[in-house]
Amino acid sequence: MQNAETILSIIRRSSLSTPNYRFNRLYRNLFNVDFYMRAYQKIYAKPGNMTEGIDGGTIDGFKKQWILDIVTLMKEEKYYPQPAKRKYIPKKNGKLRPLGIPTFKDKLVQEVLRQILESVYEPIFDDNSHGFRPQRSCHTALWQVKKTCGGTNWVIEGDIKGCFDNINHERLLSILGKKIEDGRILELIRRFLQAGYFDFNIFHKSISGTPQGGILSPILANIYLHELDEHVNSLQKKYTKGRQRKVNPAYHSLNTKRWKMNKRGNYEEGKQLLKEMQQIHYGDMMDPNFIRVKYVRYADDFLICIIGNKKLASDIKHNVADFLFEHLHLELSEEKTLVTNLKNKRIRFLGYDISKTYDNSIQKLDSIGRKKRSVNGSIQLLVPNEVIYDKLKPFRKYKNKPCSFLARTNLPVLDILQAYNAEIQGFYQYYSLATDVSTKLAKFQYYHYSSLLKTVARKEKSTVNKVLKKYGVPVIRKQGTGIRMIFGVHYETKDGTKTMTYYNKGLRKKDLPVKNLEDCYGLPFVGGQLIKRINANRCEMCGDGKNELDVHHVRKLKDITRKYKKRGNKMPSWVLLMSTIQRKTLIVCESCHAKIHNGTL
């Protein structure tokens, strides 16, 4: 059999070269063991794999025989996914989000199906779609808004009511049937869609929707909403007209007067007229013969940005709502799907505030030396004030003074520092495209850093000044004008002593988007070391190469090592080995695996 990467590349080329090509021999790829090993390599490191499914099992103890059993069932067309285990996680608004936890074997099959479907559909997906796709992220969606939606008058803020829960199974399978002429693989996808879930030990059927938390759900949702992308593209072609706006009559009149004044030698009056011209638009903002429609979608959130009048925006909104209802059996939320005038009000998209800038004082020279007000009408991405306020709550007490984080005082100092660094780095990375990221996050950083010092001071029953004196690390100031002290911790590694300091790399706005910022799936296949270790057929503890091997997994390596250090116990040999090779996996024989779990190794 060919390896999985070769087959997937052939599928991608076929889909790209022939857009109407229909695939009729995809199911046989589910007999290829290499697909499952590739899928295992891709998903093994995710901590969620250590959460038990409905069968009570996790990824721990993975062995090749699991894959061979799956392949046997696939060949007999007898593979049926088990129901997911329903779990609830809190949302920011205080409500709970339902999450489906499949068994690990189901996750493995889902990942194989996801890779096949991605190879079929990724070449034909629309460029305006950014959610859960390779080399795309929230940042690329926001970047597209910033770069392509300048001059927008009206914005349709699209919000599909319960999108993932209301995807119609029959309609989805019908859409899949346009590209996939393979009944066996469509039947397998149907089985996953209708597998159901257990909620408090009560079985519930899946009548509609894709299971939230499932590996297959994002790609299926993108395939479903690709129909919406194509429909909005047809609206773009229908309504877009005009090469450029006609000249504003008021601007043209002032320019004519100015030309006459300069011709007569009245240069002072000409300068005055020029100042008046710079206060009004060059183009006619109400020109009915200049219309643009721009569209950006991330998962089930989308924006339609319109250069035109409000009636056109309302018509497009109703058209999209009718299409969703009639063709995809989905509804737009009337309360959240708004038509907003971007000049008067900011909109919220993917956690950013989006506004349109007007500043007549900023002028730049074009390619032939003419002054242009290039900032006017440009899109600005901003950090919302309430986001800063919410982020500051744990680090600021009632009188707006920094406070310690009590929940972290029991952690080692290095872990406290890592937790604080992870927060500010993640916060900055996400909002690094914002125009005001430096000013907004500087305020957060002040309280955040002060909270770190107070947390360590509380832990050690000391003062902030003493903590800074004890843990202070000299660093060069930003302007290079001297040295300042910043909180840092020295720690030992196999390469010697290293130092970690509080985040000190600046908060400048980034000019390019971060790709693959947070998408769980769709990332390129990397590595392969785990597969090589499994294929070596040797127990990494006792060296046995005759018996069947298991893969021992842990959720977090540092949690295992910390447990023994905290108790003051000597670390077992398997923990020392995992710590040395810095891996969350260990290839062991069944005997050694049993000893690990009963604590005798």
Side-chain angles (χ1 to χ4, degrees):
M1 281 189 173
Q2 290 179 303
N3 65 48
E5 185 58 50
T6 301
I7 295 170
L8 292 173
S9 65
I10 291 171
I11 294 173
R12 282 191 291 267
R13 285 199 300 270
S14 299
S15 187
L16 183 62
S17 60
T18 312
N20 296 323
Y21 186 85
R22 298 186 72 189
F23 296 86
N24 56 14
R25 303 182 71 185
L26 293 177
Y27 187 80
R28 63 177 182 168
N29 294 313
L30 298 173
F31 309 154
N32 190 335
V33 172
D34 190 49
F35 269 90
Y36 297 92
M37 293 301 291
R38 189 179 192 274
Y40 173 65
Q41 170 75 38
K42 188 83 178 285
I43 67 175
Y44 84 94
K46 298 186 180 297
N49 290 321
M50 293 298 291
T51 304
E52 292 182 356
I54 200 67
D55 61 351
T58 67
I59 192 175
D60 185 40
F62 171 84
K63 58 188 72 178
K64 278 187 176 181
Q65 188 60 45
W66 291 7
I67 291 176
L68 298 177
D69 292 342
I70 292 172
V71 170
T72 300
L73 291 173
M74 288 295 179
K75 288 179 178 178
E76 298 173 356
E77 299 179 30
K78 293 181 180 179
Y79 187 89
Y80 284 87
Q82 296 190 56
K85 184 168 73 173
R86 177 61 63 91
K87 188 177 180 180
Y88 295 91
I89 57 174
K91 297 167 68 174
K92 289 183 178 180
N93 58 11
K95 297 181 180 180
L96 295 174
R97 183 192 303 279
L99 202 64
I101 303 173
T103 64
F104 176 71
K105 289 182 181 178
D106 286 344
K107 287 181 183 178
L108 203 60
V109 176
Q110 283 193 49
E111 173 59 21
V112 173
L113 283 172
R114 187 202 65 77
Q115 291 181 23
I116 293 172
L117 290 176
E118 183 181 271
S119 297
V120 172
Y121 283 95
E122 184 60 35
I124 64 170
F125 274 156
D126 191 68
D127 284 340
N128 298 315
S129 167
H130 295 263
F132 305 104
R133 293 182 59 193
Q135 298 301 305
R136 289 170 183 262
S137 66
C138 294
H139 268 203
T140 60
L142 290 159
W143 189 252
Q144 184 179 341
V145 173
K146 181 179 177 66
K147 288 299 180 183
T148 67
C149 298
T152 294
N153 300 332
W154 299 93
V155 179
I156 302 170
E157 304 173 59
D159 186 276
I160 301 173
K161 190 184 296 183
C163 177
F164 297 103
D165 294 330
N166 293 305
I167 288 176
N168 184 279
H169 291 170
E170 295 306 319
R171 182 67 184 128
L172 173 59
L173 291 166
S174 173
I175 292 169
L176 287 165
K178 294 178 182 179
K179 288 288 292 180
I180 300 173
E181 197 176 18
D182 187 334
R184 293 189 296 175
I185 205 162
L186 293 178
E187 173 59 25
L188 182 59
I189 292 172
R190 182 194 294 274
R191 291 176 186 178
F192 271 105
L193 291 171
Q194 297 179 352
Y197 61 93
F198 273 95
D199 193 6
F200 298 106
N201 295 322
I202 298 174
F203 177 73
H204 298 265
K205 291 183 179 179
S206 299
I207 300 171
S208 64
T210 58
Q212 293 193 32
I215 293 174
L216 204 54
S217 297
I219 183 74
L220 290 178
N222 271 339
I223 292 169
Y224 200 72
L225 293 176
H226 179 63
E227 301 287 303
L228 172 63
D229 299 341
E230 291 188 320
H231 179 70
V232 177
N233 284 340
S234 70
L235 294 179
Q236 286 180 301
K237 293 176 182 177
K238 176 182 176 181
Y239 289 112
T240 297
K241 63 178 180 179
R243 294 186 61 183
Q244 62 181 33
R245 287 189 176 95
K246 67 180 182 181
V247 179
N248 185 349
Y251 186 95
H252 179 69
S253 175
L254 287 173
N255 194 34
T256 302
K257 290 180 181 178
R258 174 173 167 265
W259 182 78
K260 290 179 179 179
M261 291 297 176
N262 287 339
K263 190 176 181 180
R264 295 172 186 169
N266 298 331
Y267 299 115
E268 290 301 321
E269 293 183 29
K271 287 182 181 179
Q272 187 59 38
L273 289 170
L274 178 61
K275 290 180 181 180
E276 293 180 32
M277 289 166 58
Q278 291 173 346
Q279 301 304 311
I280 61 177
H281 291 286
Y282 169 79
D284 184 358
M285 304 306 291
M286 303 303 292
D287 184 359
N289 295 314
F290 183 81
I291 295 174
R292 294 289 184 272
V293 178
K294 301 292 183 180
Y295 168 69
V296 179
R297 179 176 68 82
Y298 184 91
D300 59 336
D301 292 326
F302 65 88
L303 295 181
I304 301 178
C305 301
I306 299 162
I307 297 177
N309 55 44
K310 186 177 182 179
K311 182 180 182 305
L312 174 62
S314 297
D315 289 346
I316 291 176
K317 174 189 170 183
H318 293 309
N319 184 297
V320 170
D322 291 343
F323 175 83
L324 285 169
F325 185 76
E326 294 172 7
H327 294 272
L328 298 179
H329 310 293
L330 297 172
E331 291 184 60
L332 281 181
S333 170
E334 287 295 326
E335 301 80 20
K336 297 181 180 178
T337 303
L338 308 174
V339 178
T340 305
N341 187 329
L342 198 57
K343 182 178 180 180
N344 301 326
K345 185 179 178 181
R346 294 179 179 181
I347 63 168
R348 184 70 54 81
F349 184 58
L350 300 179
Y352 276 71
D353 273 350
I354 297 176
S355 69
K356 188 166 68 168
T357 299
Y358 285 99
D359 191 341
N360 292 316
S361 64
I362 301 177
Q363 299 181 25
K364 293 184 179 180
L365 298 178
D366 65 9
S367 58
I368 60 173
R370 295 175 301 183
K371 288 186 178 180
K372 294 259 183 174
R373 290 170 284 172
S374 56
V375 171
N376 280 0
S378 65
I379 298 295
Q380 297 297 321
L381 305 176
L382 307 168
V383 183
N385 290 325
E386 53 265 40
V387 169
I388 298 293
Y389 178 78
D390 289 341
K391 284 284 186 181
L392 280 174
K393 282 181 180 179
F395 313 110
R396 185 172 64 176
K397 56 186 179 181
Y398 68 98
K399 286 188 177 180
N400 285 336
K401 292 184 178 180
C403 64
S404 60
F405 199 122
L406 292 179
R408 292 177 180 165
T409 53
N410 292 326
L411 297 176
V413 176
L414 180 61
D415 288 359
I416 294 174
L417 177 58
Q418 286 177 326
Y420 275 88
N421 274 345
E423 280 170 343
I424 190 166
Q425 287 173 0
F427 193 26
Y428 166 61
Q429 185 183 46
Y430 190 77
Y431 284 101
S432 58
L433 289 181
T435 303
D436 58 351
V437 64
S438 297
T439 54
K440 289 285 181 66
L441 263 66
K443 178 181 179 181
F444 171 80
Q445 190 177 38
Y446 163 73
Y447 284 96
H448 194 246
Y449 180 57
S450 300
S451 173
L452 166 63
L453 297 177
K454 290 196 172 189
T455 301
V456 177
R458 190 181 188 93
K459 173 182 176 60
E460 300 191 350
K461 298 179 181 179
S462 181
T463 65
V464 169
N465 287 337
K466 289 180 180 178
V467 164
L468 196 55
K469 186 176 181 179
K470 178 180 178 181
Y471 292 101
V473 175
V475 296
I476 300 174
R477 294 182 182 275
K478 293 179 182 178
Q479 297 82 4
T481 55
I483 302 293
R484 69 185 183 97
M485 304 299 288
I486 191 169
F487 185 90
V489 178
H490 304 290
Y491 61 98
E492 296 297 327
T493 70
K494 61 181 180 180
D495 298 322
T497 303
K498 293 188 176 181
T499 303
M500 178 187 294
T501 65
Y502 180 75
Y503 180 77
N504 189 43
K505 295 181 181 179
L507 300 170
R508 292 183 179 180
K509 181 177 82 73
K510 291 184 179 178
D511 295 325
L512 293 173
V514 179
K515 299 177 181 179
N516 294 324
L517 182 68
E518 58 187 16
D519 290 359
C520 301
Y521 306 104
L523 305 183
F525 179 74
V526 293
Q529 291 299 319
L530 180 57
I531 295 175
K532 291 179 181 177
R533 290 165 62 202
I534 294 173
N535 289 336
N537 292 319
R538 185 182 63 84
C539 175
E540 292 177 341
M541 287 304 302
C542 68
D544 180 28
K546 297 179 181 179
N547 297 314
E548 188 173 16
L549 299 176
D550 295 352
V551 184
H552 177 63
H553 287 259
V554 297
R555 187 183 294 270
K556 290 183 179 179
L557 182 57
K558 70 176 183 179
D559 289 347
I560 303 295
T561 55
R562 184 190 298 161
K563 181 179 73 172
Y564 287 97
K565 287 180 180 178
K566 190 174 182 180
R567 293 177 181 176
N569 296 343
K570 183 180 178 181
M571 284 191 192
S573 56
W574 66 271
V575 176
L576 288 171
L577 179 57
M578 294 181 82
S579 179
T580 302
I581 64 177
Q582 287 294 298
R583 293 288 184 270
K584 298 196 296 182
T585 56
L586 202 61
I587 315 301
V588 290
C589 62
E590 289 183 338
S591 175
C592 289
H593 198 202
K595 290 177 182 178
I596 287 173
H597 281 284
N598 61 32
T600 59
L601 186 64

